[in-house]
Amino acid sequence: MTVSVDDFPDGTGALPDAAVAAGPGARETAGFEVHLDVFEGPFDLLLALIAKHKLDITEVALSQVTDEFIAYLSERSDDWDLDQVSYFLVVAATLLDLKAARLLPSGEVEDEEDLALLEARDLLFARLLQYRAYKEVAATFAARMAAAARRFPRRVPLEPRFAELLPEVLLGLGPAEFARVAALALAPRPLPKVSTEHIHAPEINLKEHARLIAARLAQAGRASFRQLTAGAAGGYEIVATFLALLELYREGSVSFDQIAPLSDLFVTWTGNGDTSSVNRLTESDDE
Amino acid sequence: MSSDHSEPEHTGGEGEVGPGLRASLEAILLVADEPVPVVVLAQVLERPRNEVAAELADLAGEYVNEGRGFDLREVAGGWRFYTREDCAPLVERFVSDGQEVRLTQAALETLAVVAYRQPVSRVRVSAVRGVNCDSVMRTLVLRGLVEEAGTDKETSAILYRTTTYFLERLGLASLEDLPELAPFLPADIEDIEDENARA
Amino acid sequence: MSSDHSEPEHTGGEGEVGPGLRASLEAILLVADEPVPVVVLAQVLERPRNEVAAELADLAGEYVNEGRGFDLREVAGGWRFYTREDCAPLVERFVSDGQEVRLTQAALETLAVVAYRQPVSRVRVSAVRGVNCDSVMRTLVLRGLVEEAGTDKETSAILYRTTTYFLERLGLASLEDLPELAPFLPADIEDIEDENARA
């Protein structure tokens, strides 16, 4: 069965909650639509459907969604929306975890470990919903700020005759603490970095990771995806490897071959691309 | 002090007892550089709070009806003069200050979590957003939208809350005027957050 | 922009063409922090000077007739809102009754940067702090902690320095008594973050 936006007359009527949930996120991901066997439509609606149990996560080919997202970004190589990218990464990682949890046998709870997995699955669901709730309200914050910025408050110096009556200012700290505040303010700020640190995985720097993968491939000439992701610290690192490879492929730095469906995917270094877009992958919005 | 006895500090000698409540409010709000709570106005003017509140509402309505270039609004717990919304293009042309910078999506989301969960630690905010929020939180503090609010007793992590300036930026009278969080938020979300925070 | 042709960007559908001259003047003067010369107002509003001058005089008369708490006066070559004379005792009470003002974290940091880098322009302070500091600087000037100190020769940006009042509040005799920064400067950035977390 294919669910698509067209199945709901006005896109909202049949699934009010889903539509509401798709509202704010749709602001950044407005243009990004996925085209899967089971679903066609905006990325945000896909999330809403999964959250509402209208769509089974196990039926969603996440790799395909990722593929489409990379392609979507490539079309817009000149005006990257980094917010959109980081949002996608966060959600994709959550979906990946969710799917992994789902694919495990869950009919019978045999031991503590299974139980823990089940709980983890529910936790992921709840977290996704919760994150979306805050995301939605964050969009109303932006709207309110924009509206409020159109009114200017009166804030002018007192007429001189009243100025000397002003009460004292309380600094609330001594010279030493003041110097500490100054030192912190004047110290060079840490370079902004992309917020790739998913809750389940140790922080991974996409740029570093992409370079690492490129270096490994350049040296080895050829490696399987399995080899490249062996020893990955978590699902997130696998996603990062995947993203890096897609980007390298787009640049013509690698080629892929696979003997049969679901067999090992081999990556061969062709080394004729430049790595500028890999570098671009990694600029930050974390400010 | 009741308001019906004569007040010697008033100057008008021709049987006047000084400016009326309305003019007094206008004068005081003209010099205020931040929102003034009704209770403060009531104190200074020695009038009952509800009388002051009613007069402020009247005055605000009057400005609107007269099509004045300013109006009175209740924001961040107090009353303050603001320019009228449709004068914005002209005022922008005149005011030399830089415009307020738009917040990034990351900053808005972090701000939203702080607003609804305050006081809250960075770890808890990070748990909700699924990404580390340290540098975003620092930006929010730098912008004056968020401030430190002591430490958690158990973990001794620094807690954060929104500022009065946050209310001003959003044009809200108080935190109670924050929009409702989405109704589909699961009821046991608090527990989830706690687990996250402890993890 | 002349007012007699229709302007599609204005929303009012009832033949309105945005705020009138009177409302526009009120809005601009509300936010002006010093007397505004007629010629400046005429420029911003794109109206003839004599028309603007006549409207200002009208407005000033109107405020007096209506017994408002403020009036418009032409002082030092420009127009500005002032509190009405007979409201002065109340305004004084309001101003002096205010509680001690505690600076926000953002204001404190800006003050610290000015103190150690003076004389310094707003642009440089903003660059150091990573966020726009215009409104915070204005507050510091309003509170008498910071004052203007001429302009930069190259950029002609206004420079700021701390005041003697600032030194008093910090309990210092002179700027030379400000503690050295070196002992507080962390070895590297990681340490800064840690200190932030602990502070």
Side-chain angles (χ1 to χ4, degrees):
Chain A
M1 164 198 114
T2 297
V3 184
S4 110
V5 202
D6 302 334
D7 296 344
F8 312 116
D10 54 357
T12 61
L15 273 180
D17 288 348
V20 166
R27 264 166 37 91
E28 306 86 54
T29 48
F32 177 46
E33 302 209 344
V34 287
H35 306 275
L36 306 174
D37 290 343
V38 292
F39 171 82
E40 279 193 22
F43 180 57
D44 266 291
L45 188 55
L46 171 69
L47 292 186
L49 291 175
I50 292 170
K52 288 272 150 192
H53 299 272
K54 303 275 185 200
L55 193 61
D56 187 348
I57 178 71
T58 59
E59 289 179 31
V60 176
L62 288 179
S63 61
Q64 201 178 330
V65 174
T66 307
D67 252 351
E68 291 194 7
F69 188 69
I70 298 269
Y72 171 78
L73 287 182
S74 302
E75 285 167 24
R76 290 161 181 71
S77 50
D78 289 338
D79 58 336
W80 266 59
D81 182 343
L82 287 160
D83 281 335
Q84 191 174 334
V85 177
S86 61
Y87 172 65
F88 179 83
L89 287 176
V90 168
V91 172
T94 307
L95 286 178
L96 197 64
D97 279 342
L98 188 60
K99 187 169 179 180
R102 268 293 160 95
L103 287 171
L104 290 160
S106 55
E108 272 179 44
V109 179
E110 286 178 353
D111 55 28
E112 288 286 301
E113 212 170 307
D114 283 355
L115 193 65
L117 277 172
L118 279 178
E119 281 173 358
R121 191 188 63 192
D122 288 344
L123 205 62
L124 283 166
F125 247 144
R127 188 179 299 149
L128 188 59
L129 291 178
Q130 173 183 256
Y131 176 60
R132 293 191 54 73
Y134 284 115
K135 206 175 152 47
E136 177 177 340
V137 93
T140 73
F141 277 22
R144 279 177 169 278
M145 283 185 174
R150 294 181 55 77
R151 292 166 167 280
F152 296 78
R154 171 133 174 119
R155 186 180 49 197
V156 309
L158 276 177
E159 296 162 34
R161 62 194 290 198
F162 301 126
E164 60 199 25
L165 297 170
L166 268 179
E168 300 283 354
V169 176
L170 190 66
L171 287 186
L173 39 62
E177 289 103 320
F178 187 75
R180 173 179 294 268
V181 170
L184 284 174
L186 290 167
R189 271 163 294 128
L191 289 173
K193 50 187 177 181
V194 76
S195 46
T196 48
E197 187 180 328
H198 187 260
I199 182 93
H200 289 317
E203 183 170 315
I204 182 166
N205 182 315
L206 249 191
K207 179 189 274 183
E208 285 307 313
H209 194 68
R211 284 202 186 125
L212 202 69
I213 295 291
R216 272 179 73 182
L217 281 169
Q219 200 182 20
R222 178 178 161 88
S224 71
F225 188 73
R226 192 184 303 276
Q227 286 168 333
L228 287 173
T229 54
Y236 192 77
E237 193 172 327
I238 298 174
V239 171
T241 304
F242 186 68
L243 287 175
L245 286 176
L246 282 173
E247 202 50 46
L248 290 170
Y249 177 73
R250 201 176 70 81
E251 290 165 356
S253 294
V254 299
S255 65
F256 299 119
D257 60 281
Q258 193 172 27
I259 294 159
L262 298 180
S263 73
D264 270 353
L265 174 73
F266 282 93
V267 189
T268 306
W269 180 254
T270 56
N272 39 18
D274 71 281
T275 50
S276 60
S277 59
V278 169
N279 291 342
R280 250 202 346 264
L281 245 186
T282 56
E283 279 154 33
S284 163
D285 79 322
D286 199 49
E287 139 69 32
Chain B
M1 204 188 298
S2 71
S3 60
D4 51 358
H5 71 82
S6 79
E7 296 172 51
E9 70 271 29
H10 286 134
T11 47
E14 328 88 58
E16 276 203 20
V17 286
L21 177 54
R22 161 163 312 213
S24 305
L25 287 171
E26 288 182 322
I28 290 174
L29 290 173
L30 190 81
V31 301
D33 62 359
E34 58 187 13
V36 188
V38 171
V39 55
V40 170
L41 293 168
Q43 251 167 21
V44 171
L45 299 170
E46 292 170 355
R47 297 288 188 97
R49 261 192 252 182
N50 52 3
E51 191 186 335
V52 171
E55 190 71 41
L56 285 165
D58 263 17
L59 207 45
E62 186 181 311
Y63 292 154
V64 172
N65 291 337
E66 291 174 352
R68 301 244 165 243
F70 45 75
D71 55 20
L72 275 182
R73 291 200 307 149
E74 193 176 12
V75 168
W79 288 80
R80 190 175 188 181
F81 272 113
Y82 281 87
T83 58
R84 202 170 87 186
E85 189 162 5
D86 64 353
C87 294
L90 287 169
V91 177
E92 275 162 16
R93 220 188 296 175
F94 176 78
V95 173
S96 59
D97 277 5
Q99 291 297 296
E100 298 287 0
V101 185
R102 274 190 56 203
L103 294 177
T104 62
Q105 186 65 25
L108 281 170
E109 285 173 21
T110 303
L111 189 58
V113 178
V114 174
Y116 286 89
R117 289 284 172 261
Q118 56 188 308
V120 65
S121 69
R122 283 188 298 198
V123 174
R124 271 190 81 182
V125 177
S126 297
V128 171
R129 292 192 55 234
V131 292
N132 183 301
C133 71
D134 290 2
S135 102
V136 177
M137 193 71 93
R138 176 160 165 75
T139 302
L140 291 174
V141 171
L142 282 175
R143 298 223 161 133
L145 291 161
V146 159
E147 64 192 1
E148 294 183 7
T151 54
D152 186 281
K153 267 173 199 154
E154 281 177 37
T155 64
S156 76
I158 302 169
L159 298 174
Y160 294 86
R161 66 174 168 226
T162 54
T163 60
T164 321
Y165 176 64
F166 160 80
L167 291 175
E168 283 181 43
R169 278 294 299 275
L170 259 74
L172 296 175
S174 79
L175 282 176
E176 276 146 42
D177 293 345
L178 278 174
E180 293 262 326
L181 264 187
F184 53 77
L185 203 58
D188 53 354
I189 221 75
E190 283 292 345
D191 301 336
I192 295 165
E193 272 183 34
D194 290 347
E195 291 197 19
N196 277 338
R198 257 181 265 123
Chain C
M1 193 199 308
S2 75
S3 60
D4 49 358
H5 69 83
S6 81
E7 295 171 53
E9 71 271 27
H10 286 133
T11 46
E14 329 88 57
E16 276 204 17
V17 285
L21 178 55
R22 161 165 312 213
S24 303
L25 286 170
E26 287 183 323
I28 289 174
L29 290 172
L30 188 82
V31 297
D33 52 10
E34 52 189 20
V36 191
V38 172
V39 56
V40 172
L41 291 168
Q43 249 166 19
V44 171
L45 297 171
E46 293 169 356
R47 296 287 188 101
R49 263 193 252 182
N50 52 3
E51 192 185 339
V52 171
E55 191 70 44
L56 285 166
D58 263 16
L59 256 183
E62 186 181 313
Y63 292 155
V64 172
N65 291 337
E66 289 173 354
R68 301 248 163 238
F70 45 77
D71 50 26
L72 271 183
R73 275 184 254 160
E74 193 176 13
V75 170
W79 288 80
R80 194 191 153 156
F81 273 112
Y82 286 89
T83 51
R84 200 170 94 189
E85 189 57 41
D86 65 353
C87 294
L90 286 169
V91 174
E92 279 167 16
R93 202 192 303 174
F94 169 74
V95 172
S96 54
D97 266 14
Q99 293 176 347
E100 274 203 327
V101 181
R102 182 177 277 278
L103 290 183
T104 62
Q105 223 160 319
L108 208 52
E109 276 194 36
T110 302
L111 183 60
V113 174
V114 174
Y116 281 89
R117 287 285 179 270
Q118 56 189 309
V120 65
S121 69
R122 282 190 299 197
V123 174
R124 266 196 76 191
V125 178
S126 297
V128 168
R129 295 190 57 237
V131 295
N132 184 302
C133 71
D134 290 359
S135 109
V136 175
M137 192 71 91
R138 188 197 277 252
T139 303
L140 293 174
V141 172
L142 284 182
R143 293 293 164 197
L145 292 162
V146 160
E147 64 192 4
E148 294 186 6
T151 54
D152 186 281
K153 267 172 199 156
E154 280 177 36
T155 65
S156 75
I158 302 169
L159 298 174
Y160 294 86
R161 65 175 169 225
T162 53
T163 60
T164 27
Y165 177 65
F166 158 77
L167 290 173
E168 270 171 41
R169 297 310 293 163
L170 206 58
L172 298 178
S174 83
L175 280 177
E176 276 142 42
D177 295 340
L178 273 176
E180 289 278 322
L181 278 186
F184 299 101
L185 281 172
D188 64 45
I189 283 146
E190 282 308 307
D191 292 350
I192 295 173
E193 288 302 291
D194 288 350
E195 297 213 6
N196 264 344
R198 255 179 274 123

